[in-house]
Amino acid sequence: MKSDFAIELVDVVKRFGTVAAVDHVSMQIRPREFFALLGPSGCGKTTCLRMIAGFEQPSSGQLLLQGKPLGDIPAFKRNVNTVFQSYALFPHMTVAQNVAFGLEMKGVGRDEIRRRVADALDLVRLPQMADRYPKQMSGGQQQRVALARALVNKPEVLLLDEPLGALDYKLRKEMQIELKQMQQQLGITFIFVTHDQEEALTMSDRICVMSTGHALQVGTPLEIYERPNCKFVADFIGETNFLPGVVTEISGEYATVNVADMSLVGRLGEGVTLGASAWLSVRPEKMQLVDEARANPSALNTNSVTIDSVAYVGSDTRVVVHLGGQRLDVWDENNISTLDPNFYFRAGERASLSFPADNALVLVK
Amino acid sequence: MATLLRKSRALQLLGLMFPGGFWMVVFFLLPLLFIVVLSFLDNERLFTLEGYQRVFDPLYIGIFLQSIWISLLTTIISLLISFPVALFMARLPKGWRDIALFAVMIPFWTNFLVRTYALQFLMRNQGPINLLLQWIGLIDEPLSMLNTPAAVMVGLIYGNLPFMILPVYTSLEKFDWTLLEAAQDLGASAWPAFFRVMLPLTAPGLLSGSILTFVPAIGSYVTAELMGGGKATMIGRVIAGQFEQAQNWTFGSAMSLILMVIVTIFALIYFRLGRGERVAL
Ligand SMILES: Nc1ncnc2c1ncn2[C@@H]1O[C@H](COP(=O)(O)OP(=O)(O)OP(=O)(O)O)[C@@H](O)[C@H]1O
Ligand SMILES: [Mg+2]
């Protein structure tokens, strides 16, 4: 029976001593999916990957590869391959020998090995480097060799532990695009660990946001960014302003929160109840600043604010405003009016800040 | 003079090389030359090849071969003991690692001669080992363990073990364990992962340890004397005998030089093996 999922984690716990590195995590990764594990340092991403690869055994719970329990099948018998963060290339072997290693271990014939190694090196665009040693290559090239060495085995699932972490910004961007193309072309499930939210958002089909051993939310980049299910996810992904308040009304998909005597309305988040304290989360680029004279002060989510500072940062202008004792970040995409200092707001001036209810989210505190 | 020194690179080099060079000449080259000359002179200080002719007596060839054989076995057994020990040490947590290292080096603080006497005492016919074996009823008569080639080997292994453990440990400590995981990840079970990845990468340490064990073993005198009894098990004992009791310096010198040639051959083999490993690292 073929399962609907490439990999399943069922209530997996991994303890090191008393520390639960992975704490009751369940997730289902679909075939041919580009799946990112995203979270801050130490949240258990690597541990999840190592359990799938077979380097660690879960303390409890179960892992399934295409519906079959992995149990205590040793790492060398699992049809998954890993691209290590440090690449872990064999320093005493040439590039070609490195790439051939997995095939040799499986007893593939010589001619086929030669052919597949050549294909793999073509795939990562390093065909002329077959006889070099890892030490003689740049970080980016070593990274490609590590990729070729894993992919040549045609794994069901490829595990990548921060594979781009050691590359400089520009190379990183290039490799992101290349990896994504490669994954689509080969149709292999990728599980990609990163703590770079931008990387996760641009590359993944779905993202699992982790924190202190918990899987907080699994969803598409759009869902994660637009509908975070808790404060941690909203905070970790992108920038956002949090306003503390009390829920005074819930109607349909919206909730009203009383924040410092202002009534602000946002979409209703998971688990929010009437009368409870909550966070109103609103992203800096989802608010508008207008002249007080042109604003309608009685409109929804419209309030008078004081401009604290204005900074030009290339693509947009970042304004800090005071609203009822709270500092808020507001980002205005640059256009003719923001770029004209005679026309735009200055520190100390007053302005009107507004945002549609759909652009704000009410989250449990 | 000062300006000349500043200008001439050759002079500077000569000046820098002098202390080391002087040391090498006085303590190494001159004695060697002395031995070479001695090996060709008979008691009347006349040229002779007799020393070298005697080396080819089957009796002495046999002792040379036995010395090589005992030293090789000593090296191999030391390696087999040291690898697991060093592996265990390298896998200890950092603090414990230093303690283990310390423990390996403690025997160095005791004089080599004293340690060998202690070993001799342990292995005597009425020594603790025999008494213990008799007490638990494994044997009726005491085993005579001393004064055999095996006893010499035990002495050599015991005396030189730290020289094997330390280089092996050093190479294992530097070993990147994720490489073993990478090998497993690519489908290698324990033995292939060991032979294809761990062994080649730790080979420099194993080779250093081997040469550091083999060279003292083949030249050993004290151990051969104490553990082998009066018997001519090792060439080192025979050479010493020629210089002392027999007073045949010609023959003693000739054998010393042959021994040096043998050691040099093994050292060359070692460097050849080592070179291949080093290219990629
Ligand atoms: N072998 C181990 N022994 C003890 N604790 C461990 C071990 N491996 C991981 N941990 C602990 O488990 C937690 C999760 O570690 P993990 O390596 O999975 O984090 P991560 O999300 O990959 O972090 P990073 O982004 O820094 O790589 C950490 O607190 C870590 O200290
Ligand atoms: Mg990690």
Side-chain angles (χ1 to χ4, degrees), chain A residues 42 45-47 85 161-162 193:
Chain A
K45 307 179 295 286
T46 298
T47 307
Q85 178 163 14
D161 193 355
E162 306 200 31
V193 163

Side-chain angles (χ1 to χ4, degrees), chain B residues 142-156:
Chain B
L143 295 171
S144 49
M145 291 181 281
L146 285 177
N147 306 342
T148 57
V152 175
M153 210 146 70
V154 170
L156 289 174

